[in-house]
């Protein structure tokens, strides 16, 4: 009789839902070594869905106070992350004598603050600036029951202590509620209506599990969310709890709210049985964590007090609060802005009014207009902010530095990025992203995919340096260059359909290598020390590009030694071709050759002009330094006037070396004649060009950065070449011609004698 009465009451309630109310509560659970705080719901009034979806901007300040403790203390608190509905525009911390750290845990981010026993009462302030949009979803109409959940979602079907989804009573009630459902949307609606309408809201302070709420037919907001989660899981549908704040302008609160996300089809479907929302999350819900977690955990016996101060702000004031105003960096829906070298460096942005995500793409190839138009159209249609950074330059070093400048000027965009896609011809993209580490920017919730033609082992080392610096949510490397459209489709599938990054990449023929915390465990102690050492150097504002130029010097010197000691090609000493080769790496081979010829050619003409003054050597060199400085300044101005970026790197040609080259040319001209001086200059230029080609084509700078022990092999080869005492290759050729002529002359004399 009781069961029949309950079913009759349930049918009546399904026909006419009751208004929902929610009262404030606060629950604390003691443990031997720590204390967890589960704040309750402040209110549970149902609100109608708005006629149209909107976006709101909120400033949330957390003020936390902990009394002095003789044993010191620690506090761990859940912090919000950006997702498809909310974007964290900034997160700042303020606190004296506190050790502040961020820890990633699954889908969540935690702030860990600790202090020593000598510290007085500890105070911490965390300021968050969030952009939150209304989220509305229609449930899928696929058949019910659904197929079994895949392995990755199995943990969200299994029971827990507070969500006993396999309890016979919960399973029986779930099947009773959905017994006539034929579609997934009908089953989800029935479970939601039962929890929202039949289960009453109880203002108790007790932390209730799902089974207790079902038996008592009442519970707190968190308890009702646990019950709804258990009902879904008992039917084999993955479900999880979500905790957050209900934001109200000019308010102070310490209580959280809880709602549920169920995996319906291929996406997470939200429901709030206490707030009265089905498939809808309003823009005043700030997500703090996912899972049945406490908001705050601290050491047992510690007296902790906290408050959230909430204030709604305008979009304009939120943009002004960012470190780099968005309006100064990118312009919405405008043609590409040319920065230098016509269209070689450009920033293209497409912003929408209510974005669900932000995608940043970095490339060093020319983007066809048709591809650009397609990506921008699809980005607008999918409510995705798209930012494209292009640095299409020939020199690897110049590209790396240009990408660094582009990233540095778009730090606010990088901070908001949900997906970061990089496609470069080599590892220049990885080097450019190291700029984020120099600015100590963390991308805890971002997914990063880097593609390029680089050695896999080298890419893994550089990738782990980047991972150690920015700590992304997910990072993968693909040692082949991928086209932009494929990367864009990977981002769209990942963001709009929720397909994992690796799975979406595989669908487009990209099989990347995952970089995560486990990658460091696979490294040897020596290699791990190298990785963390370079990461520490980047944090100290040391650009690794400059270090690679230093590391590549011995290799360039070895190539010069080969040409001089083994091939037999004379040059203007050893240091001149080595230093000029470094300059070629920065300017590129073509413009480096032009700069070399112009400076040496004009310098030699001017040197001959001052020869008549009969000056001492030191005076002549001083005048040559002045002449070279004027030539270099003129080339720089000329490059700036014509927009030739390589000419702006003329300063990398050392004036003293170029002055010595001019002096050596003139001295060789006097000693060997003009032909001999031109031959030495040509040899020097040729050796510099070979060094540039060897370094650029093999990726030696990155190899030496990842494996500096290679320099020991270079030194060993230099010892071998230095001990060589035989004829050089060009001498073999010269003596072969002489021997052939002598044999020919000997045969002629024998014929004459006969």
């Amino acid at each position: 009789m009781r069961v029949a009465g309950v079913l009759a009451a349930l049918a009546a309630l399904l026909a006419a839902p009751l208004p929902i109310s929610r009262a404030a509560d606060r629950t604390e659970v003691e443990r031997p070594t720590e204390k967890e705080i589960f704040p309750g719901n402040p209110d549970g009034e149902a609100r109608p869905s708005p006629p149209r979806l909107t976006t709101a901007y909120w400033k949330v300040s957390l003020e936390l106070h902990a009394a002095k403790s003789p044993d010191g203390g620690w506090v761990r608190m859940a912090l919000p992350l950006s997702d498809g509905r909310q974007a964290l525009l900034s997160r700042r911390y303020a606190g004296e004598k506190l050790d502040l750290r961020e820890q990633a845990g699954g889908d969540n981010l935690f702030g860990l603050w600790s202090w020593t026993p000598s510290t007085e009462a500890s105070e911490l302030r965390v300021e968050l600036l969030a952009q939150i949009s209304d989220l509305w979803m229609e449930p899928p109409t696929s058949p019910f029951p659904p197929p079994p959940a895949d392995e990755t979602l199995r943990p969200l079907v299994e029971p827990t202590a507070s969500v006993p989804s396999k309890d016979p009573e919960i399973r029986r009630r779930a099947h009773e509620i959905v017994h006539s459902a034929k579609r997934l949307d009908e089953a989800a609606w029935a479970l939601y209506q039962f929890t929202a309408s039949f289960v009453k809201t109880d203002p108790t302070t007790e932390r209730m599990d799902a089974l207790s709420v079902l038996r008592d037919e009442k519970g707190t907001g968190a308890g009702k969310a646990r019950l709804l989660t258990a009902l879904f899981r008992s039917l084999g549908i993955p479900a999880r709890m979500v905790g957050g704040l209900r934001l109200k302008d000019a308010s102070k609160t310490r209580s959280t709210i809880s709602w549920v996300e169920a995996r319906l089809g291929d996406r997470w479907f939200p429901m709030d049985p206490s707030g009265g929302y089905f498939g809808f999350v309003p823009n005043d819900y700030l997500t703090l964590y996912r899972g049945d977690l406490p908001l705050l955990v601290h050491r047992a016996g510690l007296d902790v007090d906290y408050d959230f101060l909430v204030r709604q702000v305008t979009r304009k004031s939120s943009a002004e609060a960012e470190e780099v105003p968005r309006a100064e960096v990118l312009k919405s829906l405008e043609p590409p802005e040319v920065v230098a070298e016509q269209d070689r460096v450009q920033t293209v942005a497409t912003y929408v009014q209510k974005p669900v995500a932000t995608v940043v793409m970095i490339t060093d190839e020319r983007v066809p207009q048709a591809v650009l138009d397609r990506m921008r159209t699809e980005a607008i249609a999918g409510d995705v902010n798209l930012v494209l950074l292009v640095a299409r330059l020939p020199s690897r070093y110049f590209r790396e530095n240009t990408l660094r400048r582009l990233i540095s000027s778009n730090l606010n965009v990088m901070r908001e990025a949900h997906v970061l896609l990089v496609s470069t011809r080599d590892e220049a993209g990885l080097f450019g992203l190291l700029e984020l580490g120099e600015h100590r920017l963390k991308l805890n919730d971002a997914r990063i995919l880097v593609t390029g033609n680089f050695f896999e082992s080298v890419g893994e080392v550089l990738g782990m340096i980047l991972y150690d610096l920015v700590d992304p949510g997910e990072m993968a490397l693909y040692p082949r260059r991928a086209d932009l459209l494929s990367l864009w489709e990977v981002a769209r599938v990942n963001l709009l359909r929720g397909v994992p990054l690796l799975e979406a990449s595989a669908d487009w023929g990209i099989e990347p290598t995952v970089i995560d915390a486990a990658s460091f465990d696979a490294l040897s102690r020596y290699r791990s020390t190298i990785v963390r050492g370079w990461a520490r150097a980047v944090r100290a504002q040391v650009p690794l590009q400059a270090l690679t130029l230093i590391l590549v010097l011995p290799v360039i010197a070895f190539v010069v030694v080969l040409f001089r000691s083994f091939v037999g090609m004379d040059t203007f000493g050893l240091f001149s071709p080595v230093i000029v080769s470094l300059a070629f790496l920065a300017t590129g081979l073509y413009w480096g050759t032009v700069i070399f010829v112009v400076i040496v050619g004009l310098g030699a003409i001017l040197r001959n002009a001052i020869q008549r003054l009969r000056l001492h050597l030191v005076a002549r060199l001083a005048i040559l330094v002045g002449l070279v400085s004027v030539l270099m300044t003129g080339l720089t101005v000329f490059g700036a006037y014509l927009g030739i970026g390589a000419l702006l790197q003329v300063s990398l040609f050392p004036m003293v070396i170029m002055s010595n080259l001019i002096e050596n040319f003139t001295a060789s001209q006097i000693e060997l004649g003009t032909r001999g001086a031109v031959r030495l200059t040509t040899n020097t230029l040729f050796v510099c060009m070979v060094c540039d080609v060897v370094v650029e084509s093999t990726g030696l700078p990155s190899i030496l950065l990842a494996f500096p022990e290679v320099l020991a092999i270079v030194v060993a080869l230099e010892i071998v070449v230095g001990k060589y005492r035989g004829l050089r290759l060009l001498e073999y050729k010269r003596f072969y011609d002489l021997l052939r002529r002598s044999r020919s002359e000997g045969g002629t004399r024998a014929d004459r004698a006969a």
Side-chain angles (χ1 to χ4, degrees):
M1 294 295 292
R2 186 176 184 275
V3 173
V6 170
L7 292 178
L10 174 60
L13 290 171
L14 290 177
L18 296 176
I20 308 299
S21 62
R22 189 167 48 192
D25 68 289
R26 183 182 180 185
T27 304
E28 299 184 357
V29 179
E30 297 288 346
R31 292 185 179 180
T33 59
E34 63 185 29
K35 181 178 180 182
E36 297 180 348
I37 299 178
F38 296 84
N41 295 337
D43 49 64
E45 69 276 6
R47 299 188 307 165
S49 301
R52 62 186 181 88
L53 303 181
T54 59
T55 299
Y57 296 83
W58 300 90
K59 183 176 182 181
V60 182
S61 300
L62 166 65
E63 294 184 350
L64 186 145
H65 177 85
K68 182 179 180 180
S69 172
D71 299 324
W74 57 267
V75 175
R76 191 186 74 170
M77 189 169 194
L79 297 174
L81 289 171
S82 298
D83 53 28
R85 186 183 65 90
Q86 66 186 26
L88 270 296
L89 305 180
S90 68
R91 182 167 53 236
R92 297 182 177 89
Y93 306 101
E96 296 183 359
K97 300 180 180 180
L98 296 179
D99 180 22
L100 309 178
R101 286 183 296 161
E102 291 184 350
Q103 292 181 337
D107 296 327
N108 300 307
L109 176 69
F110 301 97
L112 179 62
W113 305 286
S114 58
W115 55 92
T116 61
S118 59
T119 306
E120 297 294 333
S122 302
E123 293 185 358
L124 174 73
R125 184 179 181 89
V126 183
E127 292 187 354
L128 307 171
L129 185 62
Q131 170 188 307
I132 308 177
S133 301
D134 291 329
L135 176 64
W136 175 263
M137 287 186 182
E138 289 288 347
T141 58
S142 52
F144 178 81
D150 57 44
E151 291 300 322
T152 59
L153 298 175
R154 289 299 301 173
L156 297 178
V157 181
E158 297 299 323
T160 63
S162 58
V163 184
S165 54
K166 291 187 177 180
D167 184 88
E169 190 172 347
I170 289 181
R171 298 184 66 177
R172 183 175 63 253
R173 182 57 62 89
H175 284 87
E176 290 174 355
I177 296 172
V178 302
H179 73 283
S180 61
K182 301 298 182 182
R183 300 198 314 261
L184 194 56
D185 59 330
E186 295 174 348
W189 174 251
L191 294 175
Y192 163 78
Q193 281 286 74
F194 170 79
T195 312
S197 302
F198 183 74
V199 179
K200 299 178 181 179
T201 300
D202 186 5
T204 180
T205 59
E206 181 183 357
R207 184 173 185 262
M208 305 177 67
D209 59 27
L211 190 57
S212 300
V213 175
L214 179 63
R215 289 172 176 173
D216 297 343
E217 299 179 357
K218 63 180 179 179
T220 63
K224 295 174 69 171
R226 292 188 186 97
L227 175 58
L228 183 57
T229 302
L231 293 173
F232 273 106
R233 291 185 180 184
S234 68
L235 298 174
I237 301 175
R240 63 190 180 187
M241 290 180 61
V242 183
L245 289 177
R246 174 80 174 275
L247 305 177
K248 292 184 178 180
D249 189 23
S251 66
K252 177 186 291 188
T253 183
R254 59 187 306 124
S255 302
T256 59
I257 57 175
S258 298
W259 63 96
V260 177
E261 289 180 343
R263 189 72 175 185
L264 304 184
D266 58 353
R267 56 183 176 173
W268 290 103
F269 188 80
M271 290 163 281
D272 182 6
S274 297
Y277 297 125
F278 180 78
F280 177 74
V281 183
N283 60 29
D284 58 359
Y285 275 30
L286 174 65
T287 302
L288 293 178
Y289 50 85
R290 282 181 166 85
D292 192 1
L293 304 175
L295 169 68
L296 199 70
V297 181
H298 60 76
R299 189 182 59 79
L302 192 66
D303 185 12
V304 174
D305 192 18
Y306 69 95
D307 283 300
F308 288 99
L309 306 178
V310 181
R311 182 166 61 90
Q312 188 170 5
V313 297
T314 63
R315 180 174 182 174
K316 179 179 179 181
S317 62
S318 66
E320 292 173 350
E322 300 180 51
E323 293 181 6
V324 182
R326 176 182 298 175
E328 296 181 4
V329 181
L330 303 170
K331 299 179 180 179
S332 174
L333 300 177
E334 291 188 0
E337 178 185 357
V338 177
V339 179
E341 293 215 31
Q342 287 81 36
D343 61 343
R344 291 182 179 270
V345 180
Q346 60 188 29
T347 300
V348 183
T350 299
Y351 272 94
V352 295
Q353 184 177 3
K354 296 170 290 187
V356 297
T358 297
V359 176
V360 178
M361 304 183 71
I362 300 175
T363 184
D364 59 0
E365 67 175 345
R366 186 181 185 88
V367 184
Q369 190 62 41
V371 173
L372 185 60
D373 292 341
R374 173 180 168 180
M375 290 193 301
R376 296 174 76 175
T377 301
E378 293 178 348
I380 295 173
D383 291 332
V384 173
N385 287 340
L386 173 63
V387 180
L388 177 64
L389 307 179
V390 182
R392 196 171 58 87
L393 301 162
S395 166
R396 180 197 301 259
Y397 181 83
F398 196 17
R399 271 185 293 119
E400 291 172 358
N401 281 278
T402 304
L403 286 174
R404 288 180 60 216
R405 290 196 299 270
L406 281 174
I407 292 172
S408 179
S409 62
N410 290 275
L411 284 179
N412 63 319
V413 175
M414 308 301 293
R415 185 183 295 109
E416 297 177 11
H418 296 83
V419 177
L420 181 57
L421 305 173
V422 180
S423 174
T424 53
R425 72 185 72 168
D426 43 44
E427 60 276 7
L430 280 169
F431 276 107
L433 290 178
L434 294 178
E435 181 72 12
L436 302 175
E438 292 190 30
H439 290 275
R440 297 181 178 271
L441 186 64
K442 296 293 185 179
L443 302 178
N444 304 88
D445 58 335
R447 281 91 75 190
I448 302 177
L449 176 60
V450 181
T451 70
N453 296 320
F454 47 76
F455 293 108
E456 185 173 358
S457 57
V458 174
E460 288 179 357
V461 173
L462 293 176
M464 282 188 279
I465 296 174
L466 179 62
Y467 185 91
D468 187 72
L469 291 170
V470 303
D471 192 22
E474 185 179 3
M475 182 174 177
L477 301 177
Y478 182 61
R480 300 287 186 277
R481 183 160 192 172
D483 62 275
L484 287 183
L485 275 182
S486 296
L487 293 178
W488 169 242
E489 290 300 330
V490 169
R492 289 183 64 225
V493 172
N494 176 259
L495 291 173
L496 302 182
R497 292 171 49 192
V499 179
L501 187 63
L502 293 180
E503 181 180 338
S505 302
D507 292 340
W508 290 90
I510 303 173
E511 299 180 358
T513 302
V514 177
I515 302 295
D516 53 19
S519 303
F520 289 86
D521 299 333
L523 291 178
S524 64
R525 179 175 298 181
Y526 169 75
R527 193 69 55 210
S528 178
T529 303
I530 293 295
V531 169
R532 300 191 186 280
W534 292 141
R536 179 167 295 186
V538 173
R539 291 191 184 97
Q541 309 296 312
V542 178
L544 291 190
Q545 289 89 338
L547 292 179
T548 58
L549 291 183
I550 297 175
L551 291 173
V552 85
L553 271 174
V555 179
I556 296 176
F558 173 66
V559 175
V560 177
V561 169
L562 279 179
F563 273 98
R564 289 178 61 89
S565 301
F566 190 73
V567 178
M569 182 177 291
D570 293 332
T571 61
F572 285 130
L574 173 67
F575 292 105
S576 294
V578 169
I579 301 302
V580 172
S581 298
L582 282 181
F584 278 17
L585 293 177
T587 59
L589 186 59
Y590 175 78
W591 286 108
T593 303
V594 171
I595 295 170
F596 180 89
V597 172
V598 169
I599 292 179
V600 175
L602 292 179
I605 295 174
L606 296 174
R607 167 65 177 79
N608 287 330
I610 64 176
Q611 178 68 25
R612 301 175 183 177
L613 299 178
R614 299 180 179 275
L615 301 176
H616 293 294
L617 175 62
V618 177
R620 290 201 308 270
L621 286 176
I623 294 175
L624 284 176
V625 169
L627 293 175
V628 170
S629 66
V630 172
L631 288 174
M632 293 171 66
T633 303
L635 286 173
T636 302
V637 174
F638 184 72
Y641 182 76
L642 296 181
I644 303 174
L647 293 183
L648 303 180
Q649 309 297 317
V650 174
S651 58
L652 294 175
F653 282 81
M655 287 187 293
V656 176
I657 294 296
M658 299 307 296
S659 301
N660 272 321
L661 276 175
I662 296 171
E663 180 66 25
N664 291 336
F665 177 87
T666 305
S668 301
Q669 189 178 21
I670 296 173
E671 182 178 352
L672 305 174
T674 301
R675 184 176 181 179
V678 171
R679 179 179 59 82
L680 281 176
T681 305
T682 304
N683 289 350
T684 301
L685 178 60
F686 177 76
V687 171
C688 294
M689 295 170 68
V690 171
C691 290
D692 177 83
V693 172
V694 169
V695 174
E696 285 280 350
S697 61
T698 59
L700 270 174
S702 303
I703 295 175
L704 294 174
L705 190 71
F707 306 98
E709 60 270 18
V710 173
L711 292 178
I713 301 176
V714 174
V715 173
L717 292 175
E718 288 174 338
I719 293 175
V720 173
V721 174
K723 287 184 173 294
Y724 180 74
R725 297 294 184 268
L727 293 176
R728 296 179 291 184
L729 295 181
L730 292 180
E731 291 174 340
Y732 274 108
K733 180 180 182 304
R734 185 168 71 248
F735 291 147
Y736 175 78
D737 293 340
L738 178 62
L739 181 61
R740 187 178 60 181
R741 286 197 302 269
S742 64
R743 287 179 178 178
S744 176
E745 292 174 358
T748 303
R749 286 196 298 268
D751 293 340
R752 290 175 181 176

